Amino acid sequence: MNYAIGIDIGGTKTAIGLIDPTGHVLAKTALPTDHTVSPHVMVDRMAAAIKQMMAEHQVTEADILGIGVGAPGPLNTQKGEITAPPNLKGWWNFPIVESLKRHFDYKVAFENDATAAALAEKWLGAAKDAEHFVFITISTGIGAGIFSHGKLLTGVTGNAGDVGHFVIDPAAGTCVCGQEGCWEYVASGTAIARQATDILGREVTSKEVFALAAEGDQEMKALVDKVFRYIGVGCVTLINTLDPEKLVIGGGVSQIGEPLFAAVRDYVSKHALNPSGRNTPIVPAALLQDAGLIGAAALIHVDYK
């Protein structure tokens, strides 16, 4: 059996797994992303975890096709570097590919985590039947992976799909990037919690916001309706720009389910420019728990460029 090693690097944890050519996860583990040590030390820990998994499951070096790495952007896939992700400041300008190659001689494929997740949805998930689609993740921030004409669109440095910094509402306030009213500043899980906290005068999670809205809290319902509209605005922008046959939405905020999807479909049906674009299917992502790992492994198992 030929396996891919998948590594999904996040701000709080790094998931690692052995994934076969059908997408089955043979083994997986997770390490806390320790910000008190250098990224090279974190890579040392990843390598030790990988070697332990291989030994426990009797997977030899000859069984490994390569290592796929998904990481938050901005990054530079040409140089193999994590360049400037806001939630990994200690990793800025870190040569992740070079660091892994201190431990392994395998091929290393490296892409933005949302791009990798899009490939996973194409391989095994909600976009298996699509040659032109956008995968949108709405969680702490907002990002996207773009698949068009049978290939991933990654851009020159791997940062295509950084749609969270579309400007949606300039009056809403200043995003961490310095622009006014970016999509993730107004519609991410972080944005929902921030706005609700301001309204209620106490710390609130996005999950609590949705629960309060469902229970009839009018202020929270108005906030949720506004957020759904903002998500619709972003989706219309993507439809008008890329003319996809499908939008796939994942991430923590998407778990609210049909209320979000119904609101977004309704907005798109009224505001997409092309009449055919108004009927663009907008569907939930199929891969949830292991999406990051499977996406990272897909970079090895799937021909995507």
Side-chain angles (χ1 to χ4, degrees):
M1 181 71 78
N2 291 323
Y3 294 97
I5 297 166
I7 301 175
D8 180 33
I9 299 171
T12 57
K13 72 171 185 175
T14 295
I16 303 167
L18 293 170
I19 296 93
D20 74 15
T22 69
H24 171 70
V25 180
L26 173 70
K28 62 181 177 178
T29 189
L31 304 174
T33 303
D34 188 344
H35 296 272
T36 68
V37 300
S38 78
H40 284 297
V41 172
M42 274 301 304
V43 170
D44 294 343
R45 295 177 184 176
M46 293 176 208
I50 290 165
K51 290 171 182 176
Q52 182 179 342
M53 271 195 298
M54 290 173 63
E56 287 175 354
H57 293 271
Q58 299 181 320
V59 174
T60 69
E61 289 190 12
D63 295 323
I64 301 296
L65 293 173
I67 301 173
V69 181
L75 40 72
N76 189 319
T77 53
Q78 284 192 342
K79 295 182 177 180
E81 292 180 353
I82 295 173
T83 56
N87 62 343
L88 284 172
K89 290 193 174 179
W91 293 58
W92 284 19
N93 301 311
F94 176 61
I96 179 70
V97 172
E98 179 185 301
S99 190
L100 281 165
K101 286 184 176 286
R102 294 181 297 125
H103 298 278
F104 303 105
D105 290 328
Y106 312 132
K107 167 189 175 184
V108 179
F110 172 50
E111 296 289 349
N112 181 280
D113 49 8
T115 296
L119 189 61
E121 290 292 335
K122 171 61 181 171
W123 185 25
L124 299 171
K128 286 192 288 188
D129 59 344
E131 293 300 303
H132 308 268
F133 74 93
V134 182
F135 166 78
I136 306 160
T137 178
I138 307 174
S139 53
T140 303
I142 296 179
I146 303 165
F147 194 92
S148 188
H149 298 278
K151 299 288 182 183
L152 279 177
L153 297 185
T154 59
V156 67
T157 59
N159 290 294
D162 216 344
V163 299
H165 299 281
F166 284 163
V167 172
I168 299 292
D169 183 358
T174 304
C175 178
V176 292
C177 76
Q179 292 200 106
E180 304 289 327
C182 290
W183 198 13
E184 75 175 35
Y185 183 78
V186 298
S188 65
T190 305
I192 295 165
R194 185 195 71 247
Q195 293 171 85
T197 296
D198 289 345
I199 293 167
L200 298 176
R202 62 181 177 85
E203 201 74 25
V204 188
T205 66
S206 58
K207 186 175 181 179
E208 187 179 355
V209 173
F210 288 123
L212 288 169
E215 291 165 6
D217 185 303
Q218 291 305 302
E219 286 185 307
M220 293 301 97
K221 185 177 185 308
L223 173 59
V224 168
D225 288 346
K226 181 174 71 171
V227 167
F228 287 171
R229 186 173 71 253
Y230 283 144
I231 294 172
V233 172
C235 288
V236 165
T237 302
L238 288 167
I239 290 167
N240 289 349
T241 303
L242 296 166
D243 193 24
E245 62 188 290
K246 179 181 286 189
L247 297 182
V248 179
I249 303 180
V253 171
S254 73
Q255 297 307 296
I256 192 63
E258 190 54 27
L260 180 151
F261 285 90
V264 172
R265 290 179 190 125
D266 180 64
Y267 189 92
V268 166
S269 73
K270 294 172 182 173
H271 298 290
L273 186 62
N274 187 336
S276 68
R278 296 171 200 156
N279 297 312
T280 303
I282 301 169
V283 302
L287 303 174
L288 300 173
Q289 186 176 2
D290 293 324
L293 274 185
I294 292 170
L299 300 173
I300 296 297
H301 282 310
V302 179
D303 179 15
Y304 66 96
K305 285 186 175 180

